[in-house]
Amino acid sequence: MSGMESVSPQEIDRAYEKYKKDAIAGAYNINPDVEFTKGLISGLLVNQSRYGYPSCPCRLSMGSKEEDLDIICPCDYRDGDIDKYGACYCALYISQDVLEGRQPVKSIPESRLPRADRKKKVAQTVDLNWNKLPLPVWRCTVCGYLCARDGPPEVCPICKAKKDRFERFI
Ligand code: SF4
């Protein structure tokens, strides 16, 4: 790691507090193991400085925002994995049942499709965009929020993901 990419304990602490606050505001839980969670947040900060966006610390980044969009934290797979396995792939976010000890966390499989299949999925989405609705429908790829308007909102009102995480749904 080059000097430019190292993060100070103060930066990690500040980011940790922010992740915690944002999680509470969005009804999510971050992992209560503080050292573990700070390790993941440190990885996110390193990726932010290395690539210009906080790609998932548990996955290999391509170094291209377009290719990595689905794994910018929070990734497109977070909510589904929390529902299915009680935690996101990195276990940065956990379910209420896991937090309260009603569900153990086992190993979390990778929900992201291999690269070639991800590209096919994008092509299929484009093929379905034929409807003659008065307005296009946009979907937040992080939380699934849908809205019909000329363009996607700047920020998702539900999960706060930015505009570039929206896809044309219909
Ligand atoms: S939400 Fe997704 S990107 Fe963020 S830490 Fe968890 S698995 Fe990685």
Side-chain angles (χ1 to χ4, degrees):
M1 193 193 297
S2 78
M4 207 185 84
E5 286 163 2
S6 62
V7 282
S8 69
Q10 290 80 2
E11 281 176 278
I12 297 171
D13 286 350
R14 265 201 306 273
Y16 172 79
E17 290 306 326
K18 183 163 188 325
Y19 269 84
K20 208 162 92 174
K21 199 167 138 244
D22 289 351
I24 292 167
Y28 288 95
N29 304 302
I30 59 168
N31 197 313
D33 182 334
V34 178
E35 285 318 303
F36 172 82
T37 298
K38 283 188 178 177
L40 290 173
I41 288 174
S42 165
L44 286 164
L45 292 173
V46 167
N47 286 348
Q48 171 71 48
S49 97
R50 185 179 292 164
Y51 306 117
Y53 50 87
S55 66
C56 183
C58 311
R59 293 174 165 120
L60 189 65
S61 166
M62 299 294 286
S64 139
K65 192 172 180 187
E66 201 192 344
E67 291 259 8
D68 290 340
L69 208 54
D70 61 321
I71 55 161
I72 293 177
C73 190
C75 62
D76 292 4
Y77 314 99
R78 175 184 66 173
D79 290 15
D81 286 347
I82 293 174
D83 287 350
K84 266 188 268 173
Y85 311 113
C88 71
Y89 188 54
C90 294
L92 173 60
Y93 293 97
I94 59 168
S95 70
Q96 194 66 25
D97 281 348
V98 167
L99 183 71
E100 292 172 9
R102 287 189 297 270
Q103 180 189 1
V105 182
K106 300 206 186 102
S107 72
I108 303 141
E110 173 59 289
S111 299
R112 191 186 199 207
L113 295 172
R115 190 159 175 248
D117 297 335
R118 288 201 301 277
K119 291 202 176 290
K120 259 188 255 154
K121 195 171 161 252
V122 171
Q124 278 168 5
T125 310
V126 173
D127 281 349
L128 291 172
N129 288 338
W130 49 266
N131 291 37
K132 297 263 186 303
L133 292 174
L135 286 169
V137 177
W138 303 91
R139 176 180 179 274
C140 173
T141 59
V142 176
C143 72
Y145 166 74
L146 295 176
C147 58
R149 46 183 279 162
D150 287 328
E154 288 301 322
V155 173
C156 174
I158 305 300
C159 74
K160 313 293 178 229
K162 295 204 185 105
K163 187 179 192 165
D164 57 7
R165 304 298 293 278
F166 275 77
E167 64 183 9
R168 176 99 185 245
F169 187 63
I170 305 172

